[in-house]
Amino acid sequence: LINIGDDLFSFNDLEHGILRANTRHPYQVSKPFGIRDSRRMLSLQTLDPRIHFALNCGAKSCPPVKRYTPESIQEELRLAAMAFCESEENVSMEEEKSVLYLSKILYWYMSDFVASKEDLPKKIAEYLRGKKKEKLEKLQKGHSRVTVDFLEYDWSSNDINFITYGKGNLSSKRVFPHSTKNPPPQIYEKVTDGDF
């Protein structure tokens, strides 16, 4: 939990209570902040669906982690939405079958973007440019109905800086990263090859 002005917030509270304008999570029955909850006053007044192109839970299918600033948030969200939708892993098309494949994020939070599934192709086109936008617009004009299907979500870790340790690649510098002159306050146990 995070303490902000003596109020406690979970990451769920921050996402759904504040950033999604106190909108209920897709799989919950009530809003995060009730009528008498003092944290309600911190909620955004309107929900900007582009927030879903900026939030990251650490899974591979999540949008990339970026730094956002108050001065440029509108432009930064616009760019995040475009980058997310231009990725074939999040938005792709099969013209012959008139199918638009979308990230599962757009399934879970569909009501943040549109009133119905049929409206998704038009909404997604707003976040595209160039050939991909032209392709989607052509798909919409050329067929009476575009089928929208959702891609599997990859929940595996998006940890690109991890190190896998094995018997042969442990050294005292990795196990004891501090110099012996200035040891850390906690005590580390020495690891030997026999410990694996």
Side-chain angles (χ1 to χ4, degrees):
L1 294 178
I2 300 165
N3 186 330
I4 302 174
D6 291 330
D7 283 322
L8 296 177
F9 295 87
S10 67
F11 287 127
N12 241 8
D13 294 335
L14 295 173
E15 178 179 354
H16 305 290
I18 295 177
L19 297 175
R20 291 187 62 235
N22 201 33
T23 304
R24 71 175 188 81
H25 185 284
Y27 299 105
Q28 293 180 340
V29 294
S30 61
K31 294 180 177 187
F33 306 145
I35 293 172
R36 294 192 175 110
D37 193 326
S38 63
R39 300 174 299 170
R40 272 185 81 190
M41 67 182 206
L42 298 173
S43 298
L44 294 177
Q45 296 302 307
T46 56
L47 191 157
D48 186 335
R50 297 175 303 171
I51 198 69
H52 299 294
F53 305 128
L55 296 175
N56 182 299
C57 70
K60 282 189 180 175
S61 289
C62 280
V65 174
K66 300 260 186 211
R67 181 177 168 260
Y68 296 90
T69 61
E71 309 81 43
S72 304
I73 189 67
Q74 293 304 319
E75 179 64 7
E76 291 163 351
L77 286 174
R78 184 184 75 78
L79 292 172
M82 289 173 65
F84 185 86
C85 291
E86 287 182 1
S87 168
E88 289 295 311
E89 294 175 358
N90 301 316
V91 175
S92 60
M93 290 165 263
E94 198 171 345
E95 290 177 273
E96 322 69 65
K97 295 183 179 180
S98 187
V99 179
L100 174 64
Y101 297 100
L102 300 174
S103 165
K104 197 74 137 190
I105 291 171
L106 291 151
Y107 172 76
W108 295 322
Y109 297 103
M110 189 183 317
S111 64
D112 290 2
F113 290 91
V114 293
S116 71
K117 186 177 177 180
E118 290 73 31
D119 297 330
L120 277 171
K122 184 177 178 184
K123 185 65 177 179
I124 294 303
E126 293 176 17
Y127 304 127
L128 297 174
R129 61 185 177 166
K131 292 185 188 266
K132 195 167 188 178
K133 182 176 184 139
E134 290 171 13
K135 188 176 173 181
L136 179 55
E137 289 173 342
K138 181 181 170 188
L139 191 66
Q140 292 176 81
K141 288 177 186 172
H143 296 87
S144 58
R145 180 178 153 96
V146 175
T147 301
V148 175
D149 203 356
F150 298 96
L151 301 163
E152 288 299 313
Y153 203 77
D154 186 350
W155 287 104
S156 61
S157 174
N158 193 16
D159 187 359
I160 59 171
N161 294 317
F162 72 92
I163 298 172
T164 303
Y165 291 100
K167 284 184 181 181
N169 64 354
L170 286 180
S171 71
S172 61
K173 286 185 180 176
R174 284 199 178 154
V175 177
F176 303 102
H178 306 279
S179 74
T180 54
K181 291 180 183 175
N182 297 312
Q186 70 262 38
I187 296 178
Y188 291 90
E189 292 181 28
K190 186 166 182 170
V191 177
T192 64
D193 281 347
D195 291 337
F196 290 95

